[in-house]
Each structure stands twice: as C-alpha cells, then as structure tokens.
Amino acid sequence: MRIGNLSGRLNLFTDGGAVDVAEASGGRFSPDPQAIYDVWDDFAGWASTLGQVDATDFQLTDLQAPTPAPAQVFAIGLNYRDHAVESNLAVPDTFPPVFTKFRTALSGPITTVVLPPGGHVDWEVELVVVIGRRAERVAAADAWSHVAGLTAGQDISERITQLAGPAPQFSLGKSFPGFAPLGPWVVTVDEFEDPDDIQLQCAVGEEILQNGRTSDFLFGVPAIIEGLSRVTPLLPGDIIFCGTPAGVGIGRDPQRFLQPGDVLISQVSGIGELRQTFISS
Ligand code: ZN
C-alpha cells in the first residue's frame, strides 16, 4: 500500500490514481495525513479490505510531505563505512550519531529550494522510516513490526553551518527551509521483497553521485529502532532519516556543492523519486 499527502489530504495511491481516504471511508478516517499513524492498525485493516474503488488522476507536483508534522524527527549520521571515511570521521562502533532535522524543513517530493547565501549546500539521499506503533525499549527482532512504512528523503546539508563552532551543529545546518524533502509517498513494509536491502541513488542532472544499498548500513533499521527506543519512546508518525552512502559533495576532491540551477534527483527503489531545483536567494 502507498499512502501520502495530496494537496493536504490523506490519499491512497493505486495504479489507477489517487483515492481520498476520508471520502472512501465515509469519514471514518481523518483527511489529515499525519493523524493516520495514531490509528495505524485500524487503518491498515480497513485498507486491506478495500475492494475496487474509483481513483482519480493527480499531479505529482501536488504531493506534499507524506508525514507533514511528525512529533519527532530523528536522523542518523555515519551509517555507512565509506561515508564515515570520506567525512574524515571515525566509523561508529556501538551506536551512530543522532540528530534532528527541525520540522519546518520538511517538504514534499518536488520542490524549489533556496540556497542560503554563502553556504556550501550538499546532498544526502536516505531511506526514511515512518513509525506506525509506539516503540519503547523495543528489541531489534520486534522493530519492523513498529514501522508503518518507508519513504525517500534528502538530508540536504549546509556544511559551513553544520561544522561551525566548537562542536558540530548537525541539526541546525540541515534544517534550512526545504532541506528535508520527503516522498513521494509512504510504502508499507510488506511491499518490499527485503526491507533490509533497498537501493538508493542520487544525481545532479544526469550525473549519478551516490549509489548505495541499505544492506550496507552499519546499523540496520532494527538496530536503529532498538537503540533510539532504549532512550526515547518513538511515537506513531515519527520519522527516522537512516543515513547516507558515500558520494556527498564535501567528501569529493575537489569538493563540490549545489549551485543555482542544479536539479537534484534522489531515488529509492520500491518508493520513487524526489526532485529539488536549487535557486539563489
Ligand atoms: Zn544524513
């Protein structure tokens, strides 16, 4: 099942188009795309019995962030060995670094992003987990059953802000407006042949700059959920950016950052594509 946010309303997406959930359910479920995760089991049960319904055409540009207002946004750093190496940082052994992307940075899948003046803006394609059941001290073996689905994300990062000062400012440098595009929708875990082995890729225009698989994570989704939920309960609708493979701009020689006019295309297999066009401020 694919669900998402079409012009602010929760929709199911079928091969035929979009189905408005509030209308198709006769008002049983709210049109608020964020609210569905609070009633996830109920909703998944209803959706599984939904027969043939009329779907309508829609424009991809009308899609907004599938989880527009999560209570918590987690992001995992250095979750690939080769990305830690290119970043000149130690490979984490017991648990990776965790930060947030502030919620106002969230956006839909197809957007225009303003480059902060004087910044070094970089790309990080990532798998994003959406929590479907409250997770508190969950063991890795039970972790996937707390996940509603997966979506694609870009952890866009302004490296000067991120690395300024006596200690890094990961959360701030990665939270300019539009720096957390998500989408195009949330795909439920059952749709993946192997949810622990998903391909990620990102390109600027035609040039592919990152290509990785989540099977190369240092800490897979179950280990991330176990480690986070040991400290803080994960709430329905929370999201987790799971970390990026090698190939970011700051790790290149010479370093390379996004320029006005660049189009960043991020793809996650089994989910879809994000497309960001960058402009000067
Ligand atoms: Zn990242």
mmCIF file of all heavy atoms in Angstrom, residues 52-97:
data_model
loop_
_atom_site.group_PDB
_atom_site.id
_atom_site.type_symbol
_atom_site.label_atom_id
_atom_site.label_comp_id
_atom_site.label_asym_id
_atom_site.label_seq_id
_atom_site.Cartn_x
_atom_site.Cartn_y
_atom_site.Cartn_z
ATOM 1 N N GLN A 52 -12.379 -2.690 -5.089
ATOM 2 C CA GLN A 52 -12.152 -1.786 -6.217
ATOM 3 C C GLN A 52 -12.798 -0.438 -5.903
ATOM 4 O O GLN A 52 -13.986 -0.371 -5.586
ATOM 5 C CB GLN A 52 -12.787 -2.400 -7.474
ATOM 6 C CG GLN A 52 -12.291 -1.811 -8.770
ATOM 7 C CD GLN A 52 -10.810 -2.057 -9.001
ATOM 8 O OE1 GLN A 52 -10.300 -3.127 -8.672
ATOM 9 N NE2 GLN A 52 -10.109 -1.078 -9.537
ATOM 10 N N VAL A 53 -11.992 0.612 -5.926
ATOM 11 C CA VAL A 53 -12.555 1.951 -5.704
ATOM 12 C C VAL A 53 -12.114 2.862 -6.832
ATOM 13 O O VAL A 53 -11.085 2.626 -7.460
ATOM 14 C CB VAL A 53 -12.086 2.568 -4.357
ATOM 15 C CG1 VAL A 53 -12.808 1.927 -3.189
ATOM 16 C CG2 VAL A 53 -10.592 2.451 -4.197
ATOM 17 N N ASP A 54 -12.911 3.883 -7.072
ATOM 18 C CA ASP A 54 -12.563 4.828 -8.137
ATOM 19 C C ASP A 54 -11.363 5.661 -7.715
ATOM 20 O O ASP A 54 -11.355 6.249 -6.635
ATOM 21 C CB ASP A 54 -13.749 5.757 -8.418
ATOM 22 C CG ASP A 54 -14.857 5.031 -9.164
ATOM 23 O OD1 ASP A 54 -14.560 3.969 -9.745
ATOM 24 O OD2 ASP A 54 -16.001 5.519 -9.155
ATOM 25 N N ALA A 55 -10.361 5.681 -8.567
ATOM 26 C CA ALA A 55 -9.185 6.508 -8.316
ATOM 27 C C ALA A 55 -9.178 7.640 -9.333
ATOM 28 O O ALA A 55 -9.671 7.487 -10.444
ATOM 29 C CB ALA A 55 -7.921 5.670 -8.451
ATOM 30 N N THR A 56 -8.628 8.767 -8.912
ATOM 31 C CA THR A 56 -8.612 9.922 -9.811
ATOM 32 C C THR A 56 -7.174 10.289 -10.183
ATOM 33 O O THR A 56 -6.236 10.031 -9.427
ATOM 34 C CB THR A 56 -9.275 11.146 -9.145
ATOM 35 O OG1 THR A 56 -8.643 11.366 -7.880
ATOM 36 C CG2 THR A 56 -10.757 10.910 -8.917
ATOM 37 N N ASP A 57 -7.047 10.892 -11.358
ATOM 38 C CA ASP A 57 -5.726 11.372 -11.790
ATOM 39 C C ASP A 57 -5.244 12.461 -10.839
ATOM 40 O O ASP A 57 -6.051 13.167 -10.236
ATOM 41 C CB ASP A 57 -5.816 11.978 -13.197
ATOM 42 C CG ASP A 57 -5.932 10.901 -14.253
ATOM 43 O OD1 ASP A 57 -5.598 9.739 -13.941
ATOM 44 O OD2 ASP A 57 -6.366 11.227 -15.374
ATOM 45 N N PHE A 58 -3.946 12.584 -10.740
ATOM 46 C CA PHE A 58 -3.407 13.652 -9.893
ATOM 47 C C PHE A 58 -2.069 14.085 -10.474
ATOM 48 O O PHE A 58 -1.473 13.395 -11.299
ATOM 49 C CB PHE A 58 -3.237 13.162 -8.451
ATOM 50 C CG PHE A 58 -2.199 12.081 -8.302
ATOM 51 C CD1 PHE A 58 -0.897 12.387 -7.924
ATOM 52 C CD2 PHE A 58 -2.514 10.765 -8.551
ATOM 53 C CE1 PHE A 58 0.059 11.403 -7.812
ATOM 54 C CE2 PHE A 58 -1.556 9.756 -8.443
ATOM 55 C CZ PHE A 58 -0.268 10.078 -8.070
ATOM 56 N N GLN A 59 -1.610 15.231 -10.005
ATOM 57 C CA GLN A 59 -0.311 15.768 -10.430
ATOM 58 C C GLN A 59 0.720 15.483 -9.343
ATOM 59 O O GLN A 59 0.467 15.750 -8.164
ATOM 60 C CB GLN A 59 -0.398 17.288 -10.620
ATOM 61 C CG GLN A 59 -1.406 17.741 -11.660
ATOM 62 C CD GLN A 59 -0.987 17.355 -13.058
ATOM 63 O OE1 GLN A 59 0.200 17.376 -13.393
ATOM 64 N NE2 GLN A 59 -1.957 16.963 -13.883
ATOM 65 N N LEU A 60 1.878 14.961 -9.732
ATOM 66 C CA LEU A 60 2.938 14.696 -8.751
ATOM 67 C C LEU A 60 3.337 15.974 -8.014
ATOM 68 O O LEU A 60 3.730 15.937 -6.845
ATOM 69 C CB LEU A 60 4.162 14.098 -9.451
ATOM 70 C CG LEU A 60 4.029 12.636 -9.894
ATOM 71 C CD1 LEU A 60 5.182 12.264 -10.819
ATOM 72 C CD2 LEU A 60 3.967 11.694 -8.700
ATOM 73 N N THR A 61 3.206 17.112 -8.707
ATOM 74 C CA THR A 61 3.598 18.378 -8.074
ATOM 75 C C THR A 61 2.626 18.801 -6.970
ATOM 76 O O THR A 61 2.913 19.732 -6.220
ATOM 77 C CB THR A 61 3.687 19.499 -9.126
ATOM 78 O OG1 THR A 61 2.494 19.469 -9.919
ATOM 79 C CG2 THR A 61 4.883 19.319 -10.031
ATOM 80 N N ASP A 62 1.466 18.129 -6.870
ATOM 81 C CA ASP A 62 0.520 18.434 -5.787
ATOM 82 C C ASP A 62 0.770 17.586 -4.547
ATOM 83 O O ASP A 62 0.049 17.708 -3.549
ATOM 84 C CB ASP A 62 -0.923 18.235 -6.259
ATOM 85 C CG ASP A 62 -1.364 19.315 -7.233
ATOM 86 O OD1 ASP A 62 -0.802 20.431 -7.164
ATOM 87 O OD2 ASP A 62 -2.236 19.055 -8.070
ATOM 88 N N LEU A 63 1.778 16.702 -4.609
ATOM 89 C CA LEU A 63 2.107 15.912 -3.425
ATOM 90 C C LEU A 63 2.888 16.776 -2.439
ATOM 91 O O LEU A 63 3.787 17.528 -2.825
ATOM 92 C CB LEU A 63 2.955 14.694 -3.819
ATOM 93 C CG LEU A 63 2.227 13.638 -4.648
ATOM 94 C CD1 LEU A 63 3.230 12.591 -5.152
ATOM 95 C CD2 LEU A 63 1.125 12.975 -3.842
ATOM 96 N N GLN A 64 2.508 16.654 -1.151
ATOM 97 C CA GLN A 64 3.238 17.331 -0.079
ATOM 98 C C GLN A 64 3.912 16.278 0.793
ATOM 99 O O GLN A 64 3.797 15.082 0.522
ATOM 100 C CB GLN A 64 2.261 18.194 0.728
ATOM 101 C CG GLN A 64 1.575 19.265 -0.138
ATOM 102 C CD GLN A 64 0.519 20.048 0.622
ATOM 103 O OE1 GLN A 64 0.401 19.960 1.831
ATOM 104 N NE2 GLN A 64 -0.275 20.810 -0.109
ATOM 105 N N ALA A 65 4.594 16.706 1.840
ATOM 106 C CA ALA A 65 5.293 15.745 2.706
ATOM 107 C C ALA A 65 4.297 14.698 3.203
ATOM 108 O O ALA A 65 3.271 15.050 3.775
ATOM 109 C CB ALA A 65 5.924 16.468 3.885
ATOM 110 N N PRO A 66 4.593 13.402 2.993
ATOM 111 C CA PRO A 66 3.640 12.373 3.413
ATOM 112 C C PRO A 66 3.424 12.370 4.930
ATOM 113 O O PRO A 66 2.348 12.017 5.402
ATOM 114 C CB PRO A 66 4.266 11.070 2.926
ATOM 115 C CG PRO A 66 5.681 11.388 2.595
ATOM 116 C CD PRO A 66 5.743 12.848 2.293
ATOM 117 N N THR A 67 4.431 12.740 5.696
ATOM 118 C CA THR A 67 4.295 12.944 7.145
ATOM 119 C C THR A 67 4.628 14.413 7.406
ATOM 120 O O THR A 67 5.772 14.768 7.656
ATOM 121 C CB THR A 67 5.265 12.045 7.935
ATOM 122 O OG1 THR A 67 6.592 12.291 7.460
ATOM 123 C CG2 THR A 67 4.943 10.576 7.743
ATOM 124 N N PRO A 68 3.626 15.307 7.330
ATOM 125 C CA PRO A 68 3.931 16.743 7.361
ATOM 126 C C PRO A 68 4.269 17.291 8.741
ATOM 127 O O PRO A 68 4.893 18.340 8.839
ATOM 128 C CB PRO A 68 2.644 17.378 6.839
ATOM 129 C CG PRO A 68 1.569 16.390 7.143
ATOM 130 C CD PRO A 68 2.205 15.033 7.050
ATOM 131 N N ALA A 69 3.863 16.583 9.811
ATOM 132 C CA ALA A 69 4.054 17.148 11.156
ATOM 133 C C ALA A 69 4.360 16.057 12.183
ATOM 134 O O ALA A 69 3.633 15.885 13.156
ATOM 135 C CB ALA A 69 2.812 17.931 11.564
ATOM 136 N N PRO A 70 5.436 15.303 11.983
ATOM 137 C CA PRO A 70 5.769 14.274 12.977
ATOM 138 C C PRO A 70 6.123 14.925 14.312
ATOM 139 O O PRO A 70 6.675 16.019 14.353
ATOM 140 C CB PRO A 70 6.985 13.568 12.367
ATOM 141 C CG PRO A 70 7.544 14.527 11.364
ATOM 142 C CD PRO A 70 6.410 15.382 10.902
ATOM 143 N N ALA A 71 5.801 14.231 15.412
ATOM 144 C CA ALA A 71 6.167 14.761 16.733
ATOM 145 C C ALA A 71 7.677 14.805 16.883
ATOM 146 O O ALA A 71 8.225 15.710 17.512
ATOM 147 C CB ALA A 71 5.547 13.901 17.830
ATOM 148 N N GLN A 72 8.358 13.833 16.302
ATOM 149 C CA GLN A 72 9.819 13.774 16.409
ATOM 150 C C GLN A 72 10.405 13.381 15.057
ATOM 151 O O GLN A 72 9.861 12.517 14.364
ATOM 152 C CB GLN A 72 10.247 12.736 17.453
ATOM 153 C CG GLN A 72 9.603 12.958 18.827
ATOM 154 C CD GLN A 72 10.077 11.967 19.867
ATOM 155 O OE1 GLN A 72 10.984 12.257 20.624
ATOM 156 N NE2 GLN A 72 9.468 10.789 19.904
ATOM 157 N N VAL A 73 11.522 14.017 14.725
ATOM 158 C CA VAL A 73 12.274 13.680 13.514
ATOM 159 C C VAL A 73 13.669 13.262 13.967
ATOM 160 O O VAL A 73 14.384 14.073 14.574
ATOM 161 C CB VAL A 73 12.380 14.882 12.557
ATOM 162 C CG1 VAL A 73 13.204 14.512 11.325
ATOM 163 C CG2 VAL A 73 11.000 15.398 12.155
ATOM 164 N N PHE A 74 14.031 12.031 13.712
ATOM 165 C CA PHE A 74 15.379 11.551 14.041
ATOM 166 C C PHE A 74 16.178 11.426 12.756
ATOM 167 O O PHE A 74 15.632 11.126 11.694
ATOM 168 C CB PHE A 74 15.305 10.167 14.713
ATOM 169 C CG PHE A 74 14.535 10.163 15.997
ATOM 170 C CD1 PHE A 74 13.179 9.870 16.008
ATOM 171 C CD2 PHE A 74 15.164 10.470 17.199
ATOM 172 C CE1 PHE A 74 12.453 9.872 17.195
ATOM 173 C CE2 PHE A 74 14.450 10.474 18.391
ATOM 174 C CZ PHE A 74 13.094 10.172 18.391
ATOM 175 N N ALA A 75 17.474 11.646 12.880
ATOM 176 C CA ALA A 75 18.355 11.416 11.737
ATOM 177 C C ALA A 75 19.633 10.757 12.259
ATOM 178 O O ALA A 75 20.130 11.089 13.341
ATOM 179 C CB ALA A 75 18.667 12.720 11.023
ATOM 180 N N ILE A 76 20.115 9.809 11.463
ATOM 181 C CA ILE A 76 21.266 9.001 11.836
ATOM 182 C C ILE A 76 22.452 9.428 10.985
ATOM 183 O O ILE A 76 22.328 9.533 9.759
ATOM 184 C CB ILE A 76 20.957 7.504 11.586
ATOM 185 C CG1 ILE A 76 19.718 7.062 12.393
ATOM 186 C CG2 ILE A 76 22.168 6.631 11.882
ATOM 187 C CD1 ILE A 76 19.860 7.148 13.891
ATOM 188 N N GLY A 77 23.582 9.690 11.623
ATOM 189 C CA GLY A 77 24.799 10.052 10.892
ATOM 190 C C GLY A 77 25.744 8.867 10.786
ATOM 191 O O GLY A 77 25.687 7.926 11.591
ATOM 192 N N LEU A 78 26.604 8.924 9.781
ATOM 193 C CA LEU A 78 27.716 7.964 9.648
ATOM 194 C C LEU A 78 27.250 6.504 9.700
ATOM 195 O O LEU A 78 27.823 5.683 10.402
ATOM 196 C CB LEU A 78 28.767 8.216 10.741
ATOM 197 C CG LEU A 78 29.270 9.665 10.857
ATOM 198 C CD1 LEU A 78 30.284 9.772 11.995
ATOM 199 C CD2 LEU A 78 29.861 10.155 9.547
ATOM 200 N N ASN A 79 26.217 6.198 8.916
ATOM 201 C CA ASN A 79 25.689 4.834 8.945
ATOM 202 C C ASN A 79 26.229 3.968 7.810
ATOM 203 O O ASN A 79 25.770 2.843 7.629
ATOM 204 C CB ASN A 79 24.154 4.858 8.938
ATOM 205 C CG ASN A 79 23.566 3.588 9.515
ATOM 206 O OD1 ASN A 79 24.282 2.772 10.107
ATOM 207 N ND2 ASN A 79 22.269 3.392 9.328
ATOM 208 N N TYR A 80 27.176 4.522 7.057
ATOM 209 C CA TYR A 80 27.889 3.725 6.036
ATOM 210 C C TYR A 80 29.377 3.921 6.274
ATOM 211 O O TYR A 80 29.842 5.057 6.452
ATOM 212 C CB TYR A 80 27.569 4.216 4.618
ATOM 213 C CG TYR A 80 26.210 3.833 4.086
ATOM 214 C CD1 TYR A 80 25.095 4.612 4.371
ATOM 215 C CD2 TYR A 80 26.051 2.716 3.258
ATOM 216 C CE1 TYR A 80 23.848 4.277 3.860
ATOM 217 C CE2 TYR A 80 24.810 2.386 2.736
ATOM 218 C CZ TYR A 80 23.718 3.160 3.036
ATOM 219 O OH TYR A 80 22.487 2.846 2.529
ATOM 220 N N ARG A 81 30.119 2.832 6.247
ATOM 221 C CA ARG A 81 31.562 2.887 6.483
ATOM 222 C C ARG A 81 32.240 3.857 5.505
ATOM 223 O O ARG A 81 33.021 4.718 5.913
ATOM 224 C CB ARG A 81 32.153 1.479 6.325
ATOM 225 C CG ARG A 81 33.643 1.384 6.588
ATOM 226 C CD ARG A 81 34.074 -0.078 6.566
ATOM 227 N NE ARG A 81 33.331 -0.855 7.566
ATOM 228 C CZ ARG A 81 33.647 -0.929 8.854
ATOM 229 N NH1 ARG A 81 34.705 -0.284 9.298
ATOM 230 N NH2 ARG A 81 32.915 -1.640 9.688
ATOM 231 N N ASP A 82 31.902 3.745 4.201
ATOM 232 C CA ASP A 82 32.614 4.572 3.220
ATOM 233 C C ASP A 82 32.236 6.053 3.337
ATOM 234 O O ASP A 82 33.019 6.932 2.972
ATOM 235 C CB ASP A 82 32.446 4.041 1.784
ATOM 236 C CG ASP A 82 30.994 3.816 1.396
ATOM 237 O OD1 ASP A 82 30.091 4.064 2.221
ATOM 238 O OD2 ASP A 82 30.755 3.392 0.244
ATOM 239 N N HIS A 83 31.035 6.349 3.870
ATOM 240 C CA HIS A 83 30.667 7.750 4.087
ATOM 241 C C HIS A 83 31.398 8.316 5.308
ATOM 242 O O HIS A 83 31.825 9.480 5.298
ATOM 243 C CB HIS A 83 29.156 7.903 4.248
ATOM 244 C CG HIS A 83 28.726 9.296 4.609
ATOM 245 N ND1 HIS A 83 29.002 10.395 3.813
ATOM 246 C CD2 HIS A 83 28.062 9.781 5.691
ATOM 247 C CE1 HIS A 83 28.523 11.481 4.400
ATOM 248 N NE2 HIS A 83 27.951 11.140 5.542
ATOM 249 N N ALA A 84 31.578 7.511 6.354
ATOM 250 C CA ALA A 84 32.360 7.968 7.509
ATOM 251 C C ALA A 84 33.797 8.261 7.081
ATOM 252 O O ALA A 84 34.384 9.287 7.457
ATOM 253 C CB ALA A 84 32.323 6.919 8.625
ATOM 254 N N VAL A 85 34.350 7.386 6.250
ATOM 255 C CA VAL A 85 35.732 7.558 5.788
ATOM 256 C C VAL A 85 35.864 8.829 4.959
ATOM 257 O O VAL A 85 36.776 9.644 5.179
ATOM 258 C CB VAL A 85 36.195 6.308 4.998
ATOM 259 C CG1 VAL A 85 37.521 6.572 4.288
ATOM 260 C CG2 VAL A 85 36.306 5.102 5.934
ATOM 261 N N GLU A 86 34.939 9.057 4.004
ATOM 262 C CA GLU A 86 35.041 10.253 3.154
ATOM 263 C C GLU A 86 34.821 11.525 3.978
ATOM 264 O O GLU A 86 35.234 12.610 3.580
ATOM 265 C CB GLU A 86 34.045 10.201 1.985
ATOM 266 C CG GLU A 86 32.602 10.444 2.395
ATOM 267 C CD GLU A 86 31.610 10.496 1.226
ATOM 268 O OE1 GLU A 86 32.021 10.509 0.062
ATOM 269 O OE2 GLU A 86 30.399 10.508 1.529
ATOM 270 N N SER A 87 34.125 11.407 5.133
ATOM 271 C CA SER A 87 33.875 12.552 6.006
ATOM 272 C C SER A 87 35.019 12.794 6.990
ATOM 273 O O SER A 87 34.931 13.704 7.825
ATOM 274 C CB SER A 87 32.571 12.340 6.791
ATOM 275 O OG SER A 87 31.493 12.092 5.927
ATOM 276 N N ASN A 88 36.055 11.960 6.921
ATOM 277 C CA ASN A 88 37.193 12.052 7.853
ATOM 278 C C ASN A 88 36.739 11.932 9.301
ATOM 279 O O ASN A 88 37.246 12.619 10.189
ATOM 280 C CB ASN A 88 37.963 13.368 7.672
ATOM 281 C CG ASN A 88 38.811 13.328 6.424
ATOM 282 O OD1 ASN A 88 39.456 12.304 6.140
ATOM 283 N ND2 ASN A 88 38.801 14.407 5.661
ATOM 284 N N LEU A 89 35.735 11.064 9.541
ATOM 285 C CA LEU A 89 35.233 10.847 10.894
ATOM 286 C C LEU A 89 35.354 9.360 11.220
ATOM 287 O O LEU A 89 35.386 8.522 10.326
ATOM 288 C CB LEU A 89 33.775 11.320 11.002
ATOM 289 C CG LEU A 89 33.592 12.841 10.860
ATOM 290 C CD1 LEU A 89 32.134 13.200 10.636
ATOM 291 C CD2 LEU A 89 34.133 13.575 12.088
ATOM 292 N N ALA A 90 35.427 9.076 12.513
ATOM 293 C CA ALA A 90 35.583 7.686 12.939
ATOM 294 C C ALA A 90 34.329 6.877 12.595
ATOM 295 O O ALA A 90 33.211 7.405 12.645
ATOM 296 C CB ALA A 90 35.842 7.632 14.447
ATOM 297 N N VAL A 91 34.524 5.627 12.238
ATOM 298 C CA VAL A 91 33.394 4.733 11.968
ATOM 299 C C VAL A 91 32.771 4.363 13.317
ATOM 300 O O VAL A 91 33.470 3.879 14.210
ATOM 301 C CB VAL A 91 33.887 3.461 11.229
ATOM 302 C CG1 VAL A 91 32.744 2.470 11.048
ATOM 303 C CG2 VAL A 91 34.494 3.843 9.879
ATOM 304 N N PRO A 92 31.457 4.637 13.527
ATOM 305 C CA PRO A 92 30.859 4.337 14.837
ATOM 306 C C PRO A 92 30.844 2.835 15.112
ATOM 307 O O PRO A 92 30.641 2.045 14.196
ATOM 308 C CB PRO A 92 29.440 4.897 14.721
ATOM 309 C CG PRO A 92 29.176 5.059 13.270
ATOM 310 C CD PRO A 92 30.495 5.214 12.583
ATOM 311 N N ASP A 93 31.095 2.473 16.385
ATOM 312 C CA ASP A 93 31.101 1.044 16.694
ATOM 313 C C ASP A 93 29.889 0.607 17.512
ATOM 314 O O ASP A 93 29.248 -0.376 17.185
ATOM 315 C CB ASP A 93 32.419 0.612 17.359
ATOM 316 C CG ASP A 93 32.837 1.548 18.491
ATOM 317 O OD1 ASP A 93 32.037 2.407 18.889
ATOM 318 O OD2 ASP A 93 33.975 1.399 18.972
ATOM 319 N N THR A 94 29.517 1.352 18.568
ATOM 320 C CA THR A 94 28.378 0.890 19.370
ATOM 321 C C THR A 94 27.043 1.474 18.919
ATOM 322 O O THR A 94 26.035 0.779 18.899
ATOM 323 C CB THR A 94 28.584 1.211 20.862
ATOM 324 O OG1 THR A 94 28.884 2.606 20.969
ATOM 325 C CG2 THR A 94 29.732 0.403 21.440
ATOM 326 N N PHE A 95 27.015 2.753 18.548
ATOM 327 C CA PHE A 95 25.784 3.358 18.022
ATOM 328 C C PHE A 95 26.175 4.604 17.237
ATOM 329 O O PHE A 95 27.102 5.305 17.607
ATOM 330 C CB PHE A 95 24.795 3.705 19.155
ATOM 331 C CG PHE A 95 23.370 3.841 18.657
ATOM 332 C CD1 PHE A 95 22.699 2.741 18.142
ATOM 333 C CD2 PHE A 95 22.719 5.067 18.676
ATOM 334 C CE1 PHE A 95 21.395 2.856 17.656
ATOM 335 C CE2 PHE A 95 21.405 5.185 18.192
ATOM 336 C CZ PHE A 95 20.756 4.072 17.694
ATOM 337 N N PRO A 96 25.467 4.896 16.164
ATOM 338 C CA PRO A 96 25.837 6.057 15.337
ATOM 339 C C PRO A 96 25.359 7.370 15.967
ATOM 340 O O PRO A 96 24.487 7.365 16.834
ATOM 341 C CB PRO A 96 25.083 5.790 14.030
ATOM 342 C CG PRO A 96 23.898 4.977 14.431
ATOM 343 C CD PRO A 96 24.339 4.140 15.602
ATOM 344 N N PRO A 97 25.915 8.502 15.510
ATOM 345 C CA PRO A 97 25.426 9.798 15.984
ATOM 346 C C PRO A 97 23.972 10.031 15.562
ATOM 347 O O PRO A 97 23.554 9.597 14.495
ATOM 348 C CB PRO A 97 26.356 10.820 15.323
ATOM 349 C CG PRO A 97 27.179 10.086 14.342
ATOM 350 C CD PRO A 97 27.030 8.619 14.570
#
